[in-house]
Amino acid sequence: MTYTKHWNLPEMPTGAVDWPALFNDVVDKVEVGPTIKLVAGETLTIRTPFYIRSDGKAWKASNSTDIRGIWQSASTALGVEGFGQVGGVMTYASWTWTKGGLIYANSSNALTQTISGQAIGIAISATE
């Protein structure tokens, strides 16, 4: 199956198609929020804040850089394409956020609720 360039939505295939599954995949991705496809400027791991340098690549962001999103692909090596989420809701079962608290990136390129630089999001539940 082929996918759109940036939002990673499936393109309509020809032939026999499981239409409910295809539709649900699209709805799930729209519900979560937009992503963009970028080349990693360094090794990036899932749930790492990232920013985009003038070379157009994704780099780890910290409390001293302008954060553009959260990396959503599994471990992505230097020079490999992956997806970064730039809006919407992110969910991870192991997060333990305080609902209503601001979320930041710290100096170690990780998400935290400890005040450190600019806020990049707000917790709507312990895991979102």
Side-chain angles (χ1 to χ4, degrees), residues 88-105:
V89 177
M90 294 166 207
T91 304
Y92 180 51
S94 294
W95 281 336
T96 56
W97 302 129
T98 300
K99 186 177 179 179
L102 295 175
I103 299 171
Y104 303 87

Side-chain angles (χ1 to χ4, degrees), residues 9-110:
L9 299 173
E11 293 180 339
M12 295 298 125
T14 58
V17 176
D18 181 355
W19 290 106
L22 183 64
F23 176 80
N24 290 337
D25 183 41
V26 170
V27 169
D28 289 345
K29 288 178 180 175
V30 170
E31 170 81 10
V32 169
T35 62
I36 56 174
K37 184 187 284 186
L38 296 165
V39 172
E42 61 186 319
T43 298
L44 296 170
T45 56
I46 194 166
R47 293 178 293 282
T48 299
F50 74 91
Y51 73 107
I52 304 168
R53 284 192 187 168
S54 59
D55 61 6
K57 296 178 181 176
W59 296 82
K60 293 176 188 171
S62 68
N63 57 352
S64 63
T65 56
D66 287 332
I67 298 160
R68 293 295 174 233
I70 307 299
W71 200 249
Q72 291 301 327
S73 295
S75 186
T76 308
L78 165 70
V80 175
E81 287 184 331
F83 289 92
Q85 190 168 338
V86 294
V89 177
M90 294 166 207
T91 304
Y92 180 51
S94 294
W95 281 336
T96 56
W97 302 129
T98 300
K99 186 177 179 179
L102 295 175
I103 299 171
Y104 303 87
N106 65 20
S107 60
S108 300
N109 317 105

